[in-house]
């Protein structure tokens, strides 16, 4: 076959079209924010370079196969980026390998798929269409290089890639070491190289357990004993001794809901009232610290006072590790422990993890009666969930620890119209608009639960802890959220939005106050053990008792952001916590804490990836 040399080969056209498309997706569909011109430049060059790198492989093939290769590569490439886009619209995050294997969590996406697919997405097909048509003209579009030219074409590809990596490293030093933030990675090396990086990480972490040794845990133990502050408070020790503990994890509840109203109707009348009472200790600056594992991360942090992983859900990836978890400690102190959650028991791999960390019972969806009237969205509605849980709760031997996980206020916040007792909000985000109705519903459900507990007599012998598990409204809705809050959502406001309700309700107690300390999910385990008067001297945790004067002084997020008494640090910007103003980078005000945060997150990873607790004697 005679090839026409005068034309531009299709692999070059395909690289250009596909690269350009990728740039547009990054810039306008993911809406990746740019901090400076250099980032903008990298973001533009990277897709072209990466596309060229892959499409240039075709020069090594026979003309006919070249065309086939280009056709299918462009489809595979588009599929990868599109799946990431859908995932991003829901989670403001990129897919990692561990997340892919959290198979049943695809349910989360499928239930809301329609809201995640947008009309303009059809534009993603344009370059595919062009390449498919042109590829039919093999003679004009294929290349027929000699060996030297082939090597040259490939060498150019690698040079481009190397140039990209160097630029990225200049723009963000230690990019690959401090890889907490996937968004930086994608911005700097592109989504395809990011996936290659992620796959390499996966292999590395698998090897870590095999290579881990005992000495690592001694170093971490020393750090914890010196740095993580007091696990013990004096005043509150044993305040709830021998009481039952009812722990309610409230799905997707953020603090912006508290004291809010829609057209004059309160969103959370029950919680608003509860938090002000003399028998409820309310921490108004309590932060969730979850990452990709969402609810399961929140459970993991509370149970272990360790950080979740930077990739995937620990519940999935490390359910077989040795832990020294809350249920185990409580079991040893004569408590019966259980979990109530009306969803499939294997969701988030809960059945396996719960068994490993020592829960006595798990009441999952097969313990509940679902009908078309009482279930919608994610399943059984919260009011029914609490009502139907009561007989099981009454069966528990006292004292018991029972965790309840609600479900109704979950993205995409569906609720049958007749069950809504508040209007929707009115903004460009249907997600935010609807969320007030499910939040109000869950607030009512909590009131129902308190009534039921009183009726059964359990109430007086129990303490009830209420905690929001993680954010419900992702950054994707920042514009609408900004309208609602009456302020633009910058990094500072974004961090403040990560506050979730945390209340300790102690029936009969009369000295409860509102607390302003900066605390988080990592602190729950030591705080709770103290309230119950349980000493666990050898425990290894990253949290401190919330009531202690001698706390660690910061709450770290999984991506390296943090909130301390004076500062809020995120996206490389240091803010004054009181005023929200940016602090001059020259002052390096956040630097010392940032180092400790990085070190602590690394230690936590080491513990989990190396399964280090297997080397430690907790007794
Ligand atoms: C699923 C429920 C919701 O059982 O806990 O999980 P989430 O999507 O919030 O992690
Ligand atoms: Mn959740």
């Amino acid at each position: 076959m005679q090839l026409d040399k005068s034309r531009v080969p299709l692999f070059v056209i395909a690289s250009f079209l596909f690269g350009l498309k990728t740039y547009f997706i990054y810039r306008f569909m993911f809406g990746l924010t740019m901090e400076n011109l250099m980032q903008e430049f990298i973001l533009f060059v990277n897709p072209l370079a990466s596309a060229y790198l892959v499409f240039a492989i075709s020069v090594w093939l026979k003309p006919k196969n070249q065309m086939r290769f280009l056709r299918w590569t462009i489809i595979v490439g588009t599929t990868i980026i599109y799946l990431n886009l859908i995932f991003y619209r829901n989670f403001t995050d990129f897919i990692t390998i561990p997340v892919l294997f959290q198979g049943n969590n695809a349910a989360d996406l499928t239930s809301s798929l329609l809201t995640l697919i947008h009309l303009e997405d059809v534009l993603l097909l344009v370059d595919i269409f062009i390449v498919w048509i042109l590829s039919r003209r093999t003679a004009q579009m294929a290349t027929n290089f000699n060996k030297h030219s082939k090597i040259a074409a490939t060498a150019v590809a690698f040079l481009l890639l190397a140039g990209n990596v160097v630029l990225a490293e200049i723009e963000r030093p230690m990019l690959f070491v401090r890889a907490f933030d996937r968004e930086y990675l994608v911005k700097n090396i592109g989504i395809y190289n990011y996936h290659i990086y992620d796959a390499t990480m996966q292999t590395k972490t698998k090897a870590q357990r095999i290579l881990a040794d005992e000495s690592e845990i001694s170093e971490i133990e020393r750090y914890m004993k010196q740095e993580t502050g007091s696990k013990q408070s004096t005043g509150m020790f044993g305040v709830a001794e021998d009481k039952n503990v009812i722990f309610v994890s409230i799905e997707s509840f953020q603090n912006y809901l508290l004291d809010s109203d829609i057209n004059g109707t309160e969103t959370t009348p029950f919680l608003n009232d509860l938090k002000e009472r003399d028998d409820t200790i309310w921490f108004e600056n309590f932060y969730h610290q979850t990452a990709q594992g969402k609810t399961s991360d929140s459970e993991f942090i509370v149970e272990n006072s360790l950080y979740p992983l930077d990739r995937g859900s620990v519940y999935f990836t490390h359910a077989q590790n040795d832990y020294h978890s809350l249920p185990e400690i409580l079991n040893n102190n004569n408590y019966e422990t259980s979990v109530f959650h009306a969803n499939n028991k294997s969701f988030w791999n809960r059945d396996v993890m719960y068994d490993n960390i020592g829960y006595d019972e798990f009441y999952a969806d097969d313990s509940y009666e679902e009908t078309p009237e009482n279930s919608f969205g994610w399943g059984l509605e919260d009011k029914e969930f609490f009502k139907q849980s009561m007989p099981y709760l009454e069966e528990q031997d006292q004292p018991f620890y029972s965790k309840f996980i609600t479900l109704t206020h979950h993205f995409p916040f569906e609720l049958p119209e007749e069950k809504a007792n508040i209007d929707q909000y009115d903004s460009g985000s249907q997600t935010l608009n609807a969320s007030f109705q499910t939040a109000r519903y869950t607030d009512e459900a909590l009131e129902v639960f308190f009534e039921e507990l009183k009726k059964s007599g359990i109430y007086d012998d129990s303490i009830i802890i209420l905690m929001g598990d993680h954010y419900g409204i992702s950054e994707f809705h920042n514009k609408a959220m900004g309208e609602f809050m009456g302020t633009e959502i910058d990094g500072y406001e974004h961090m403040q939005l990560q506050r979730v309700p945390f209340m300790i309700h102690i029936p009969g107690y009369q000295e409860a106050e509102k607390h302003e300390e900066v605390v988080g999910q990592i602190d729950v385990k030591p705080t709770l053990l103290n309230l119950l008067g349980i000493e666990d001297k050898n425990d290894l945790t990253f949290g401190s008792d919330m009531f202690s004067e001698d706390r660690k002084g910061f709450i770290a997020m999984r991506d390296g952001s943090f909130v301390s008494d004076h500062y809020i640090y995120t996206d490389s910007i240091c803010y004054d916590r009181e005023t929200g103003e940016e602090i001059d980078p020259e002052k390096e005000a956040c630097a010392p804490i940032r180092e400790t945060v990085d070190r602590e997150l690394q230690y936590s990873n080491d513990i989990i990836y190396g399964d280090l607790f297997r080397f430690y004697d907790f007794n």
Side-chain angles (χ1 to χ4, degrees):
M1 176 177 0
Q2 192 56 36
L3 295 183
D4 182 347
K5 288 254 173 65
S6 63
R7 305 246 181 161
V8 184
L10 186 57
F11 89 89
V12 176
I13 299 177
S15 308
F16 181 72
L17 289 177
F18 185 76
L20 211 58
K21 168 171 92 176
T22 309
Y23 169 74
F24 275 101
I25 298 177
Y26 287 158
R27 198 69 183 84
F28 303 107
M29 298 178 102
F30 284 106
L32 299 182
T33 47
M34 295 293 110
E35 284 153 35
N36 52 44
L37 263 181
M38 175 76 142
Q39 266 192 8
E40 191 82 61
F41 179 70
I42 295 176
L43 195 77
F44 181 73
V45 171
N46 165 273
L48 294 166
S50 309
Y52 185 82
L53 181 74
V54 176
F55 288 115
I57 296 174
S58 68
V59 302
W60 297 89
L61 307 174
K62 294 200 186 91
K64 217 184 168 88
N65 291 341
Q66 282 182 22
M67 296 299 114
R68 199 170 296 147
F69 178 82
L70 296 177
R71 275 202 292 273
W72 288 104
T73 307
I74 201 161
I75 287 192
V76 172
T78 304
T79 310
I80 292 175
I81 200 163
Y82 191 55
L83 290 177
N84 273 288
L85 185 62
I86 290 183
F87 188 80
Y88 191 88
R89 282 175 180 155
N90 199 12
F91 299 110
T92 335
D93 199 352
F94 300 91
I95 296 172
T96 62
I97 293 178
V99 152
L100 278 185
F101 290 103
Q102 290 159 194
N104 47 9
N105 288 32
D108 186 359
L109 286 175
T110 40
S111 77
S112 42
L113 200 60
L114 282 181
T115 62
L116 301 172
I117 294 177
H118 299 177
L119 194 62
E120 70 263 22
D121 297 352
V122 292
L123 291 175
L124 268 57
L125 298 174
V126 173
D127 58 331
I128 299 185
F129 190 68
I130 298 176
V131 167
W132 273 65
I133 300 225
L134 291 179
S135 70
R136 299 288 165 205
R137 308 191 203 147
T138 310
Q140 295 101 308
M141 291 298 168
T143 47
N144 200 1
F145 293 148
N146 59 31
K147 199 157 177 197
H148 287 297
S149 318
K150 285 178 186 170
I151 292 175
T154 310
V156 168
F158 278 104
L159 272 178
L160 283 173
L161 182 70
N164 182 183
V165 171
V166 170
L167 282 184
E169 194 58 34
I170 296 173
E171 161 61 21
R172 192 149 300 265
M174 311 253 296
L175 176 68
F176 298 98
V177 185
R178 292 193 70 232
F180 300 139
D181 191 333
R182 278 173 285 278
E183 186 147 330
Y184 281 144
L185 273 173
V186 172
K187 268 189 215 170
N188 285 295
I189 61 169
I191 200 139
Y192 305 99
N193 296 321
Y194 153 73
H195 282 305
I196 294 171
Y197 171 83
D198 183 54
T200 319
M201 285 301 290
Q202 176 74 358
T203 319
K204 192 178 139 201
T205 53
K206 285 270 173 254
Q208 239 167 341
R209 183 179 192 277
I210 305 171
L211 300 174
D213 75 83
E214 263 182 277
S215 63
E216 293 176 56
I217 196 69
S218 332
E219 183 189 331
I220 297 174
E221 183 187 6
R222 263 199 308 281
Y223 168 84
M224 283 177 166
K225 300 232 150 116
Q226 280 164 17
E227 302 286 335
T228 55
S230 172
K231 313 255 183 291
Q232 223 127 34
S233 67
T234 37
M236 297 301 279
F237 187 81
V239 163
E241 198 170 343
D242 290 331
K243 295 264 188 189
N244 305 312
V245 180
I246 296 167
F247 188 97
V248 189
S249 168
I250 318 177
E251 180 57 47
S252 300
F253 238 77
Q254 286 167 269
N255 274 5
Y256 76 86
L257 294 163
L258 301 176
D259 292 319
S260 71
D261 71 281
I262 300 293
N263 303 332
T265 306
E266 275 181 283
T267 316
T268 58
F270 176 70
L271 288 177
N272 292 349
D273 177 56
L274 188 73
K275 70 182 168 50
E276 304 298 336
R277 287 166 46 162
D278 291 344
D279 50 5
T280 304
I281 305 165
W282 175 41
F283 284 88
E284 63 174 358
N285 290 309
F286 178 94
Y287 293 80
H288 85 81
Q289 295 167 284
T290 64
Q292 284 190 327
K294 306 300 291 290
T295 311
S296 68
D297 276 357
S298 138
E299 295 181 62
F300 180 79
I301 308 169
V302 167
E303 282 148 354
N304 299 287
S305 195
L306 299 173
Y307 293 96
L309 289 179
D310 40 359
R311 304 156 59 251
S313 152
V314 198
Y315 262 49
F316 255 99
T317 56
H318 295 81
Q320 308 293 355
N321 275 13
D322 272 18
Y323 294 107
H324 184 59
S325 301
L326 191 58
E328 179 190 322
I329 301 170
L330 292 174
N331 289 346
N332 292 340
N333 283 274
N334 221 9
Y335 272 77
E336 176 158 9
T337 52
S338 55
V339 184
F340 296 76
H341 181 48
N343 195 8
N344 175 350
K345 68 180 182 341
S346 66
F347 199 98
W348 285 128
N349 204 28
R350 283 185 173 106
D351 49 348
V352 178
M353 185 68 170
Y354 286 171
D355 195 45
N356 181 25
I357 61 178
Y359 282 111
D360 296 319
E361 287 102 28
F362 177 20
Y363 301 92
D365 61 353
D366 48 4
S367 301
Y368 297 86
E369 214 169 296
E370 285 191 42
T371 64
E373 288 74 41
N374 72 17
S375 82
F376 46 87
W378 273 68
L380 188 66
E381 57 183 0
D382 291 346
K383 286 179 191 170
E384 272 299 310
F385 163 60
F386 285 126
K387 279 190 199 149
Q388 292 188 26
S389 298
M390 287 310 295
Y392 302 121
L393 192 63
E394 285 169 23
E395 276 170 21
Q396 307 292 306
D397 286 335
Q398 304 205 16
F400 59 76
Y401 173 89
S402 294
K403 167 162 78 176
F404 290 78
I405 306 171
T406 72
L407 206 48
T408 304
H409 181 64
H410 190 292
F411 180 82
F413 310 111
E414 276 171 57
L415 189 73
E417 198 45 49
E418 72 278 7
K419 302 198 181 199
N421 291 325
I422 188 169
D423 294 339
Q424 294 209 352
Y425 181 57
D426 181 17
S427 77
S429 160
Q430 182 47 36
T431 301
L432 179 65
N433 297 350
S435 74
F436 292 91
Q437 295 192 322
T438 45
R440 166 67 185 238
Y441 174 91
T442 294
D443 183 76
E444 291 164 9
L446 290 168
E447 185 168 14
V448 169
F449 188 35
F450 271 61
E451 293 308 319
E452 295 280 335
L453 289 172
K454 285 178 189 163
K455 258 196 268 168
S456 70
I458 290 175
Y459 178 81
D460 291 321
D461 299 322
S462 309
I463 64 167
I464 303 163
I465 301 181
L466 305 173
M467 183 191 83
D469 61 350
H470 50 74
Y471 71 80
I473 305 296
S474 72
E475 281 171 90
F476 206 72
H477 306 275
N478 270 356
K479 191 162 167 281
M481 185 56 111
E483 276 167 38
F484 177 75
M485 306 285 291
T487 171
E488 197 191 324
I489 312 294
D490 59 0
Y492 173 82
E493 292 295 338
H494 168 74
M495 290 290 283
Q496 291 298 56
L497 277 169
Q498 306 314 307
R499 285 179 292 187
V500 295
F502 187 77
M503 301 176 199
I504 304 172
H505 178 72
I506 310 178
Y509 191 66
Q510 286 180 345
E511 293 145 56
E513 284 171 359
K514 178 164 91 175
H515 281 251
E516 293 175 353
E517 294 88 346
V518 173
V519 293
Q521 290 173 328
I522 203 99
D523 299 324
V524 172
K525 183 183 173 195
T527 307
L528 179 60
L529 289 177
N530 260 293
L531 285 173
L532 298 182
I534 296 175
E535 272 185 272
D536 196 49
K537 284 229 156 61
N538 288 326
D539 200 5
L540 295 182
T541 83
F542 287 111
S544 352
D545 175 39
M546 296 182 204
F547 296 104
S548 157
E549 296 286 313
D550 169 36
R551 283 170 306 107
K552 193 174 59 179
F554 65 81
I555 287 300
M557 308 297 164
R558 187 57 255 194
D559 66 359
S561 308
F562 67 80
V563 184
S564 74
D565 292 342
H566 303 292
Y567 308 112
I568 288 191
Y569 175 82
T570 188
D571 274 345
S572 312
I573 303 178
C574 187
Y575 300 89
D576 183 307
R577 186 170 79 91
E578 291 300 321
T579 64
E581 269 159 38
E582 285 187 30
I583 296 176
D584 180 4
E586 294 287 308
K587 291 201 176 133
E588 303 238 322
C590 283
I593 301 182
R594 209 179 70 207
E595 266 167 42
T596 318
V597 164
D598 285 357
R599 183 161 171 213
E600 202 164 295
L601 289 168
Q602 187 56 49
Y603 278 152
S604 185
N605 269 6
D606 291 346
I607 292 172
I608 299 167
Y609 287 128
D611 191 6
L612 295 183
F613 280 178
R614 69 195 145 125
F615 300 125
Y616 187 78
D617 182 8
F618 286 93
N619 296 315

